Structures are given as C-alpha cells and as structure tokens.
Amino acid sequence: MPALGVNIDHVATVRQARRTIEPDPVWAAALAELGGADGITLHLREDRRHIQDRDLRVMKETVQVKMNLEMAATEEMTRIALDVRPGQVSLVPEKREEVTTEGGLDVIGNLTRVQEYAKRLADGGIEVSLFIDPDERQIDAAHELGVSAVELHTGRYADAEDPKTQEQEFLTLVKAGAHAVRQGLVLHMGHGLTYRNVSRIADIPDLCELNIGHSIVARAVMVGFTQAVREMKALVTR
Ligand code: PXP
C-alpha cells in the first residue's frame, strides 16, 4: 500500500491571493495528519507564489510525519533545505510562468547540476527523490546519480482525454515503475491525481508513495481538510 503525501501548497495559494495570514498551511498540515496523511509535501517555489519560507520553518517544528520539500535544483534552495533539513527533498523542474510543474526533470540534460545538488542534499542526511517523466532513460540517469527514489509524473495519465490514451499512459507508468524498482529505486508517483483516477495508480505494484495536492485541497474547501484527506487515504489504501 502506498503512503499518502498530502501537498498543502494550494492552502497557501488561497492565503497569498490576499497576502494575509489565513488560511494557514501549517494548520492544514496538522489536519491532514489527523486525516491519515503519511507525509506532508510542500513546494517552495523560487517566486514564492504560495508556500513561504516561514511555512517551511514552522512546519519543520510541527509536522510529525515525513516532510517532503519539493524544490528546484538551485543553490538558493539547496542552502534552505540543508538549513531546515526536511526528511525528503524532491527535485523538480521549475519555470516561473508555468501554472504548475509541467513536466519531469530532465536528468540526462542536467546531469552535472542535478548530481551536485543531489549529493549535497544526501550528504546532509536528506532522502533525495527526482520527479521525472515515466521514461526509462531518465530512470537510468537517476539510478546512475545514486538517488534513493524517483517520483514518476502521472500528469499525462491524469489529463488523458479519452480512455484509450489513459490506458496507454497507465501502461507506460506500470512499465516505467517496474523498471525503476528493478534498478533498486524507491517508487513514488504523483501529479494531477484525483478521487476519480487515483485507484488504479494506487494498485501499481511496489509503489511506495503518492503525492496529491490540488484535488484534496479542492475537496477540503467543501468538506473540511481532515475529511478530504480521510477520503483520499481510503481510496489509496483500499
Ligand atoms: N508531485 C510533484 C513533484 C508536484 O510538483 C506536485 C504539484 O506541486 C504534486 C506531486 C501534486 O500535484 P497535484 O497538486 O496535481 O496533486
């Protein structure tokens, strides 16, 4: 059964819409834990559009489950991570103009840079995961870098417009996931997953962690955070 990492970024998005102090993502993280979250995921973006440095520091003190910091492979972010020391860092690509993380990290194209930051983070006692497309060449590159985990991007599966395409994208994830596990990598998946499309993904063999944000926050607005997480957790562990 995969662990559920709840991404609380979009609680901060609502707060930043008014640049006020509420809703506080720190509260959301606590409520997510009450609902059964196995981890709290947050993305400190270079433009600070949602999560702020203060959120990261406070949550480091308050979060009881695994804390997973998503960040770009940059000097600034690496210094912050080594200072705060979350349990896990997921290195993601980042473009300022994008609405959300659009594709996986190009490990092959950025080998030296990713390797340098991944090594510094791992030397600091942080588990490192690379967010990549379900592409065997990228998985092999991640393996060569010696990171412990990969998170396969489920966006193309989630966004598929017809059942045939969705089936193809699902099979791509299954195949890539098996390849990652054969390489000895811990298998994570995430992005674009919802209450409707998560069950098949949660059933993929050897999947260790799912990171889900937008859909949970969207439901939380209607039913409350703890309840929204509880419902997702039930689907993931059924
Ligand atoms: N995993 C990674 C690496 C991400 O960047 C995100 C979005 O921040 C997620 C998972 C969660 O995606 P969603 O909000 O679509 O569930």
Side-chain angles (χ1 to χ4, degrees):
M1 271 187 319
L4 174 62
V6 175
N7 180 317
I8 41 79
D9 291 350
H10 294 306
V11 177
T13 302
V14 176
R15 178 190 61 191
Q16 294 312 111
R18 288 291 172 93
R19 302 206 186 290
T20 177
I21 57 167
E22 61 182 5
D24 193 331
V26 176
W27 290 25
L31 294 171
E33 286 190 31
L34 289 179
D38 302 294
I40 300 296
T41 294
L42 63 167
H43 186 173
L44 186 68
R45 295 186 78 103
E46 292 179 280
D47 63 9
R48 308 297 198 271
R49 72 172 71 155
H50 38 53
I51 294 295
Q52 306 296 305
D53 298 59
R54 164 269 180 200
D55 302 330
L56 179 60
R57 288 175 204 288
V58 177
M59 269 186 252
K60 170 65 186 179
E61 301 298 321
T62 59
V63 167
Q64 308 278 319
V65 292
K66 173 165 139 182
M67 186 170 163
N68 174 33
L69 173 63
E70 292 176 0
M71 56 173 239
T74 64
E75 183 60 33
E76 182 203 10
M77 290 299 154
T78 302
R79 283 185 191 198
I80 292 172
L82 287 172
D83 183 29
V84 174
R85 290 184 197 262
Q88 178 174 293
V89 159
S90 297
L91 292 177
V92 301
E94 210 174 283
K95 284 194 233 120
R96 275 177 196 244
E97 64 278 15
E98 69 191 355
V99 174
T100 180
T101 316
E102 279 167 3
L105 191 65
D106 178 9
V107 186
I108 301 167
N110 297 281
L111 210 60
T112 319
R113 186 167 59 94
V114 176
Q115 184 159 37
E116 184 206 323
Y117 292 123
K119 182 172 184 319
R120 278 168 60 192
L121 292 161
D123 288 349
I126 300 169
E127 297 279 330
V128 180
S129 171
L130 303 182
F131 182 53
I132 56 175
D133 288 329
D135 172 339
E136 293 193 2
R137 290 165 313 147
Q138 295 289 352
I139 293 167
D140 291 343
H143 172 62
E144 276 169 38
L145 292 196
V147 294
S148 48
V150 287
E151 178 174 343
L152 300 185
H153 196 316
T154 49
R156 284 210 297 269
Y157 160 81
D159 296 341
E161 283 178 5
D162 58 84
K164 190 167 165 247
T165 312
Q166 190 174 54
E167 183 64 20
Q168 279 165 357
E169 296 299 343
F170 176 72
L171 294 175
T172 300
L173 285 163
V174 172
K175 198 163 161 273
H179 185 72
V181 171
R182 274 197 304 275
Q183 302 277 26
L185 290 157
V186 178
L187 181 62
H188 304 166
M189 291 193 189
H191 211 286
L193 296 174
T194 69
Y195 294 83
R196 289 194 180 82
N197 66 21
V198 74
S199 297
R200 292 189 81 193
I201 297 291
D203 284 344
I204 291 177
D206 300 313
L207 179 62
C208 285
E209 180 179 307
L210 279 171
N211 284 300
I212 308 178
H214 186 269
S215 188
I216 293 175
V217 175
R219 184 165 293 201
V221 172
M222 305 296 169
V223 304
F225 218 92
T226 305
Q227 179 63 18
V229 172
R230 204 175 281 137
E231 289 172 19
M232 185 59 85
K233 174 93 177 194
L235 288 172
V236 165
T237 57
R238 112 206 114 100

